[in-house]
Amino acid sequence: MSVVPFVDFKARVSAVRGELEAAVGRVLDSGWFILGREGEAFERELASACGAQDAVGVASGTEAIQLALSAVGVGAGDEVVTSPLTAAFTGLAILAAGGRPVFADVDPATLNVAPEAVARAVTPRTKALLPVHLYGHPADLDPLLQIARDHGLPLVEDACQAHGARYKGRVVGALSGIGALSFYPTKNLGALGDAGAVLVNDPALAVRLRRTRNGGQTDRYHHAEPGINSRLDEMQAAVLRVGLRHLERGNARRRELAAIYRRELANVGGLVLPVEQPYARSNHHLFVVRHPRRDALMAGLEERGIASLIHYPVPLHLQGAFAALGGRRGDFPVAEKAAGEIVSLPLYPEMTDAQALVVAAAVRELAAREA
Ligand SMILES: *Cc1c(COP(=O)(O)O)cnc(C)c1O
């Protein structure tokens, strides 16, 4: 029995159970389950919350990235520059769009893709840039957008971890014009299943995305172009409308808990805390610290009933799924070193201050032992 789990879905559901039951009840009463009123309302509400012109609901974050890349013109053999330190699904979405992932090493402070490395990775075959707002801390978008402009390339934001995070005061996700969100249950805005969305500012791209998520259909049974089946169902849309109403409050609570961790873990020898850059307001999707004896730290936490995870233990260029790209150990030294030192501590809105203090005390004690 864990003292502090990594996330607590039962607590999350029970906090809004009445609202969820009303939302599900509305869908049951409507007799309409795919692409309907709930989905349309959610798309409007989501776009407005994210400062985007439009949002297109899809079946997962992975497919949101895939469809966004296809919409901006990525096709067979086109190179897409992204981070090697991300969910493998970022790279898999590039493959699904027919593209070829090209990795660029990360910034040692934020672990987001480093703009200088992205500039070096661009070739005549590059078709798009795909930075990830890792752990909910925005990537440094202005220099990345400058690189995109210099080379006439679209930039798609992988905002799958960054719901409500801000870059220079503005919500990320469509600051470049197009970006992808995931509503996997663990995300700051989570469905009761799989779901995702593309945020988009260009009406023509929005029309295209509404086609391609639905098999490329223009009218029923008339398929103007190849698409996929990545529709958002009404049940998840109704559930997500509830979650969206509580997103800012949840993010604010995450910020309080992160502040407790920062206060309690300041000046612990060997421990590196995440930094929030002056341009960024993180949504604290994950609270990731670094320690040279990370594995021993995690083992000690587990003994005390405290959950922890690694996001992510194997950089993409060293994953079997991307072996055909020919990546080798040593290609991206900053990402590789980080992958051996990072550990994500529990942080979720329903966590109590007392639980955060228990985690912090354990980390302090273990770090002192491993120093
Ligand atoms: C969760 C996630 C994805 C994939 O989203 P799914 O909804 O699980 O398909 C892609 N990229 C990043 C950075 C993610 O965190």
Side-chain angles (χ1 to χ4, degrees):
M1 174 59 200
S2 63
V3 182
V4 187
F6 197 75
V7 285
D8 188 345
F9 291 125
K10 285 191 178 170
R12 188 184 282 195
V13 166
S14 75
V16 291
R17 180 148 192 139
E19 287 177 74
L20 289 174
E21 286 180 351
V24 169
R26 248 185 359 253
V27 176
L28 295 179
D29 290 340
S30 78
W32 190 270
F33 304 118
I34 300 269
L35 295 183
R37 278 198 213 143
E38 294 291 335
E40 285 167 17
F42 173 62
E43 288 178 343
R44 275 195 305 275
E45 290 159 8
L46 179 69
S48 153
C50 296
Q53 267 188 34
D54 206 346
V56 180
V58 299
S60 72
T62 306
E63 288 173 344
I65 301 169
Q66 176 191 343
L67 289 166
L69 289 173
S70 298
V72 300
V74 171
D78 292 333
E79 293 181 357
V80 178
V81 181
T82 194
S83 171
L85 191 64
T86 177
F89 292 98
T90 304
L92 294 172
I94 298 172
L95 295 182
R100 178 183 168 89
V102 171
F103 302 112
D105 210 351
V106 299
D107 173 89
T110 63
L111 303 185
N112 275 319
V113 78
E116 319 79 65
V118 169
R120 282 194 299 275
V122 171
T123 77
R125 292 173 302 283
T126 305
K127 202 56 178 274
L129 307 183
L130 180 65
V132 180
H133 302 305
L134 193 68
Y135 311 146
H137 181 290
D140 195 359
L141 276 175
D142 280 345
L144 291 167
L145 286 165
Q146 187 59 50
I147 296 163
R149 273 193 300 273
D150 289 347
H151 297 274
L153 296 169
L155 186 155
V156 175
E157 295 173 51
D158 180 343
C160 286
Q161 302 187 350
H163 322 72
R166 285 165 170 79
Y167 180 74
K168 298 187 177 172
R170 296 159 69 203
V171 176
V172 301
L175 292 178
S176 69
I178 186 164
L181 293 175
S182 163
F183 308 120
Y184 185 74
T186 58
K187 308 290 163 103
N188 291 32
L189 176 55
L192 301 179
D194 276 308
V198 182
L199 298 173
V200 59
N201 292 340
D202 176 337
L205 282 186
V207 168
R208 179 116 198 260
L209 286 159
R210 289 202 164 84
R211 269 205 312 263
T212 51
R213 75 169 170 188
N214 193 18
Q217 287 179 87
T218 40
D219 292 304
R220 187 181 285 193
Y221 310 133
H222 293 267
H223 297 251
E225 62 177 320
I228 60 175
N229 176 355
S230 187
R231 299 176 294 238
L232 176 64
D233 66 73
E234 290 284 281
M235 208 64 98
Q236 297 304 343
V239 162
L240 285 164
R241 293 180 72 191
V242 174
L244 189 57
R245 290 202 288 271
H246 299 283
L247 175 64
E248 281 299 317
R249 206 194 48 192
N251 285 354
R253 175 64 187 149
R254 287 173 184 267
R255 173 164 290 274
E256 288 174 2
L257 291 162
I260 292 177
Y261 277 153
R262 286 184 198 288
R263 186 186 72 219
E264 298 294 318
L265 296 174
N267 308 312
V268 173
L271 195 74
V272 179
L273 298 180
V275 280
E276 198 172 37
Q277 296 296 335
Y279 55 73
R281 189 174 170 88
S282 175
N283 72 355
H284 294 98
H285 172 57
L286 294 169
F287 193 88
V288 178
V289 300
R290 295 176 69 165
H291 193 276
R293 305 249 307 134
R294 183 266 317 273
D295 293 343
L297 204 71
M298 289 181 76
L301 289 173
E302 193 181 0
E303 274 170 26
R304 287 160 177 75
I306 298 168
S308 64
L309 290 170
I310 305 172
H311 299 89
Y312 295 87
V314 184
L316 269 54
H317 66 289
L318 302 177
Q319 296 267 9
F322 303 101
L325 303 173
R328 289 166 191 277
R329 195 164 291 283
D331 285 352
F332 305 103
V334 185
E336 290 171 28
K337 181 160 193 289
E341 298 180 348
I342 48 180
V343 49
S344 310
L345 302 180
L347 195 160
Y348 51 91
E350 300 77 18
M351 191 174 165
T352 63
D353 287 8
Q355 284 176 310
L357 291 170
V358 166
V359 176
V363 171
R364 266 203 318 269
E365 181 201 327
L366 290 161
R369 204 170 74 187
E370 297 300 333

Short mmCIF file of all heavy atoms in Angstrom, two decimals, residues 63-89:
data_model
loop_
_atom_site.label_atom_id
_atom_site.label_comp_id
_atom_site.label_asym_id
_atom_site.label_seq_id
_atom_site.Cartn_x
_atom_site.Cartn_y
_atom_site.Cartn_z
N GLU A 63 -2.09 10.82 -32.40
CA GLU A 63 -2.73 11.12 -33.69
C GLU A 63 -2.90 12.61 -33.91
O GLU A 63 -2.90 13.07 -35.06
CB GLU A 63 -4.05 10.36 -33.80
CG GLU A 63 -3.78 8.86 -34.00
CD GLU A 63 -5.01 7.99 -33.96
OE1 GLU A 63 -6.08 8.42 -33.50
OE2 GLU A 63 -4.89 6.82 -34.38
N ALA A 64 -3.01 13.38 -32.83
CA ALA A 64 -3.05 14.85 -32.98
C ALA A 64 -1.74 15.32 -33.62
O ALA A 64 -1.75 16.16 -34.53
CB ALA A 64 -3.27 15.51 -31.62
N ILE A 65 -0.60 14.79 -33.14
CA ILE A 65 0.69 15.16 -33.73
C ILE A 65 0.77 14.70 -35.18
O ILE A 65 1.16 15.46 -36.08
CB ILE A 65 1.87 14.55 -32.93
CG1 ILE A 65 1.84 15.00 -31.46
CG2 ILE A 65 3.21 14.94 -33.57
CD1 ILE A 65 2.81 14.22 -30.56
N GLN A 66 0.39 13.44 -35.40
CA GLN A 66 0.44 12.88 -36.77
C GLN A 66 -0.38 13.72 -37.73
O GLN A 66 0.09 14.11 -38.81
CB GLN A 66 -0.09 11.43 -36.75
CG GLN A 66 -0.17 10.81 -38.13
CD GLN A 66 -0.94 9.48 -38.14
OE1 GLN A 66 -1.14 8.87 -37.08
NE2 GLN A 66 -1.35 9.03 -39.31
N LEU A 67 -1.63 14.03 -37.35
CA LEU A 67 -2.52 14.78 -38.25
C LEU A 67 -2.04 16.21 -38.45
O LEU A 67 -2.14 16.75 -39.55
CB LEU A 67 -3.95 14.75 -37.69
CG LEU A 67 -4.64 13.38 -37.78
CD1 LEU A 67 -5.90 13.35 -36.90
CD2 LEU A 67 -5.00 13.04 -39.23
N ALA A 68 -1.47 16.81 -37.40
CA ALA A 68 -0.94 18.18 -37.52
C ALA A 68 0.23 18.18 -38.50
O ALA A 68 0.34 19.07 -39.36
CB ALA A 68 -0.53 18.71 -36.16
N LEU A 69 1.12 17.20 -38.36
CA LEU A 69 2.27 17.13 -39.27
C LEU A 69 1.80 16.94 -40.72
O LEU A 69 2.29 17.60 -41.64
CB LEU A 69 3.22 15.99 -38.86
CG LEU A 69 4.01 16.21 -37.56
CD1 LEU A 69 4.77 14.94 -37.18
CD2 LEU A 69 4.98 17.39 -37.69
N SER A 70 0.86 16.02 -40.92
CA SER A 70 0.34 15.79 -42.28
C SER A 70 -0.29 17.08 -42.81
O SER A 70 -0.10 17.44 -43.98
CB SER A 70 -0.70 14.67 -42.29
OG SER A 70 -0.12 13.45 -41.88
N ALA A 71 -1.02 17.78 -41.95
CA ALA A 71 -1.73 18.99 -42.40
C ALA A 71 -0.75 20.07 -42.86
O ALA A 71 -1.06 20.85 -43.76
CB ALA A 71 -2.62 19.53 -41.28
N VAL A 72 0.44 20.15 -42.22
CA VAL A 72 1.40 21.18 -42.64
C VAL A 72 2.30 20.67 -43.76
O VAL A 72 3.24 21.36 -44.15
CB VAL A 72 2.25 21.73 -41.46
CG1 VAL A 72 1.35 22.36 -40.41
CG2 VAL A 72 3.16 20.66 -40.86
N GLY A 73 2.03 19.45 -44.27
CA GLY A 73 2.71 19.00 -45.47
C GLY A 73 3.78 17.95 -45.29
O GLY A 73 4.48 17.61 -46.24
N VAL A 74 3.93 17.41 -44.09
CA VAL A 74 4.92 16.34 -43.90
C VAL A 74 4.41 15.06 -44.58
O VAL A 74 3.28 14.65 -44.35
CB VAL A 74 5.18 16.09 -42.39
CG1 VAL A 74 6.04 14.85 -42.19
CG2 VAL A 74 5.84 17.31 -41.76
N GLY A 75 5.25 14.48 -45.40
CA GLY A 75 4.89 13.24 -46.09
C GLY A 75 6.10 12.33 -46.19
O GLY A 75 7.09 12.52 -45.48
N ALA A 76 6.00 11.36 -47.10
CA ALA A 76 7.00 10.29 -47.18
C ALA A 76 8.43 10.83 -47.22
O ALA A 76 8.79 11.63 -48.08
CB ALA A 76 6.74 9.44 -48.41
N GLY A 77 9.24 10.40 -46.25
CA GLY A 77 10.66 10.70 -46.23
C GLY A 77 11.04 12.08 -45.74
O GLY A 77 12.23 12.39 -45.62
N ASP A 78 10.05 12.93 -45.43
CA ASP A 78 10.37 14.28 -44.96
C ASP A 78 10.94 14.25 -43.55
O ASP A 78 10.43 13.54 -42.68
CB ASP A 78 9.11 15.16 -44.96
CG ASP A 78 8.61 15.46 -46.36
OD1 ASP A 78 9.44 15.45 -47.29
OD2 ASP A 78 7.40 15.68 -46.51
N GLU A 79 11.97 15.07 -43.32
CA GLU A 79 12.59 15.11 -42.00
C GLU A 79 11.83 16.07 -41.08
O GLU A 79 11.42 17.16 -41.49
CB GLU A 79 14.05 15.55 -42.11
CG GLU A 79 14.90 14.51 -42.83
CD GLU A 79 16.37 14.91 -42.95
OE1 GLU A 79 16.74 16.02 -42.51
OE2 GLU A 79 17.14 14.10 -43.48
N VAL A 80 11.67 15.62 -39.84
CA VAL A 80 11.04 16.44 -38.80
C VAL A 80 12.00 16.49 -37.61
O VAL A 80 12.36 15.44 -37.07
CB VAL A 80 9.67 15.86 -38.38
CG1 VAL A 80 9.06 16.70 -37.26
CG2 VAL A 80 8.73 15.78 -39.56
N VAL A 81 12.40 17.69 -37.23
CA VAL A 81 13.38 17.84 -36.15
C VAL A 81 12.66 17.90 -34.81
O VAL A 81 11.75 18.72 -34.61
CB VAL A 81 14.24 19.11 -36.33
CG1 VAL A 81 15.26 19.24 -35.20
CG2 VAL A 81 14.95 19.07 -37.69
N THR A 82 13.06 17.03 -33.88
CA THR A 82 12.43 16.98 -32.56
C THR A 82 13.45 16.61 -31.50
O THR A 82 14.64 16.45 -31.78
CB THR A 82 11.24 16.00 -32.56
OG1 THR A 82 10.45 16.23 -31.38
CG2 THR A 82 11.68 14.55 -32.59
N SER A 83 12.98 16.47 -30.26
CA SER A 83 13.84 16.15 -29.12
C SER A 83 14.00 14.64 -28.98
O SER A 83 13.05 13.89 -29.20
CB SER A 83 13.22 16.70 -27.84
OG SER A 83 13.91 16.22 -26.72
N PRO A 84 15.19 14.18 -28.56
CA PRO A 84 15.35 12.76 -28.27
C PRO A 84 14.85 12.41 -26.87
O PRO A 84 14.71 11.23 -26.55
CB PRO A 84 16.87 12.56 -28.35
CG PRO A 84 17.45 13.89 -27.96
CD PRO A 84 16.46 14.94 -28.40
N LEU A 85 14.57 13.45 -26.03
CA LEU A 85 14.12 13.19 -24.66
C LEU A 85 12.65 13.57 -24.55
O LEU A 85 12.29 14.69 -24.18
CB LEU A 85 14.96 14.00 -23.66
CG LEU A 85 14.78 13.62 -22.18
CD1 LEU A 85 15.23 12.20 -21.91
CD2 LEU A 85 15.50 14.59 -21.27
N THR A 86 11.81 12.62 -24.91
CA THR A 86 10.36 12.84 -24.92
C THR A 86 9.69 11.48 -24.89
O THR A 86 10.36 10.44 -24.95
CB THR A 86 9.94 13.64 -26.18
OG1 THR A 86 8.50 13.79 -26.21
CG2 THR A 86 10.38 12.96 -27.47
N ALA A 87 8.36 11.48 -24.79
CA ALA A 87 7.61 10.24 -24.94
C ALA A 87 7.90 9.69 -26.33
O ALA A 87 7.93 10.45 -27.30
CB ALA A 87 6.11 10.52 -24.79
N ALA A 88 8.11 8.40 -26.43
CA ALA A 88 8.39 7.80 -27.73
C ALA A 88 7.28 8.12 -28.73
O ALA A 88 7.52 8.17 -29.94
CB ALA A 88 8.55 6.28 -27.60
N PHE A 89 6.07 8.38 -28.22
CA PHE A 89 4.94 8.66 -29.11
C PHE A 89 5.17 9.91 -29.98
O PHE A 89 4.63 10.01 -31.08
CB PHE A 89 3.65 8.79 -28.31
CG PHE A 89 3.23 7.47 -27.71
CD1 PHE A 89 3.52 7.15 -26.40
CD2 PHE A 89 2.60 6.51 -28.50
CE1 PHE A 89 3.17 5.91 -25.86
CE2 PHE A 89 2.25 5.27 -27.98
CZ PHE A 89 2.54 4.97 -26.65
#
